Amino acid sequence: MALPQEKIYTIEDIYALPEGQRAELINGQIYNMAPPNTNHQRISFALARKISDYIDQKKGICEVFPAPFAVFLNADDITYVEPDISVICDKDKLDDKGCNGAPDWIIEIISPSTERMDYGIKLFKYRSAGVREYWIVNPRTRIVNVFDFEFEKESLQYSFDDHVPACIYKDLSICISDLVKIE
């Protein structure tokens, strides 16, 4: 007797969700997203603003997109993510629906409901899709994990009080404690 097959969801199913319900789709599985808390939003806004200001100051071509922003990582219809912050330098990847392909830099801010996904499944997906740099920002532990996929360097770990160097911008470092006070 055959085992029952798990349903494989598609991007069409994501777009069919009720208005206001957020979810991500990874390898055909839907992962519902809880609303972010206040500290999460403080950190997300401060980081997006800092990176955007840096790009503007340098007259760079990259753009910063805070969530909710659709990222279609692969050329398929079974993976759709909404990173907290996406930095995209290739304008050809952008259309009216979002980013088609890997952003250059992704930042995920840990929530209790996303911790396993951000440190596990998304880490693998982002690396294999061609993301150049991935930060995992954990407000609870006040730790930032930096993954430099472009140069295959080991993950580095920083505290919120450290000046965390960006990998794709050699002259940008960010001290989260200087940007936002976590309550």
Side-chain angles (χ1 to χ4, degrees):
M1 183 164 103
L3 294 174
Q5 296 291 321
E6 260 187 50
K7 178 171 173 41
I8 301 296
Y9 294 93
T10 66
I11 291 168
E12 192 174 298
D13 295 307
I14 291 291
Y15 282 109
L17 291 173
E19 184 72 30
Q21 181 178 345
R22 288 182 55 212
E24 293 181 307
L25 177 70
I26 299 176
N27 298 331
Q29 298 303 303
I30 290 180
Y31 298 90
N32 289 312
M33 299 169 65
N37 67 30
T38 304
N39 280 333
H40 180 286
Q41 291 301 88
R42 283 184 181 124
I43 294 167
S44 181
F45 178 76
L47 284 170
R49 183 178 60 203
K50 177 77 173 177
I51 297 164
S52 186
D53 287 349
Y54 169 85
I55 293 168
D56 290 346
Q57 177 187 15
K58 296 290 186 174
K59 298 184 182 354
I61 61 166
C62 303
E63 290 185 72
V64 179
F65 295 92
F69 180 73
V71 174
F72 307 93
L73 275 177
N74 307 345
D76 61 31
D77 67 344
I78 60 169
T79 301
Y80 163 100
V81 292
E82 290 184 5
D84 291 312
I85 299 171
S86 300
V87 178
I88 298 142
C89 302
D90 181 351
K91 305 281 188 226
D92 291 337
K93 291 182 178 181
L94 298 170
D95 65 19
D96 63 332
K97 289 189 174 185
C99 178
N100 296 289
D104 293 86
W105 183 5
I106 288 178
I107 299 174
E108 293 284 10
I109 299 155
I110 297 294
S111 299
S113 62
T114 66
E115 192 164 352
R116 198 180 102 246
M117 287 282 295
D118 293 336
Y119 283 110
I121 295 169
K122 285 186 178 180
L123 174 67
F124 174 77
K125 287 301 283 186
Y126 293 160
R127 174 178 280 181
S128 61
V131 171
R132 294 167 59 198
E133 179 171 358
Y134 176 40
W135 285 20
I136 302 173
V137 177
N138 191 327
R140 183 181 54 78
T141 62
R142 299 177 55 85
I143 296 290
V144 180
N145 290 89
V146 175
F147 298 88
D148 182 350
F149 297 145
E150 183 175 27
F151 295 104
E152 296 294 325
K153 293 185 180 171
E154 291 296 315
S155 160
L156 296 173
Q157 197 172 73
Y158 300 89
S159 82
F160 277 24
D161 297 323
D162 293 329
H163 287 268
V164 183
C167 302
I168 68 169
Y169 297 115
K170 298 303 175 204
D171 61 343
L172 172 64
S173 66
I174 300 171
C175 177
I176 294 174
S177 292
D178 287 349
L179 296 179
V180 63
K181 301 302 172 218
I182 306 299
E183 296 177 7

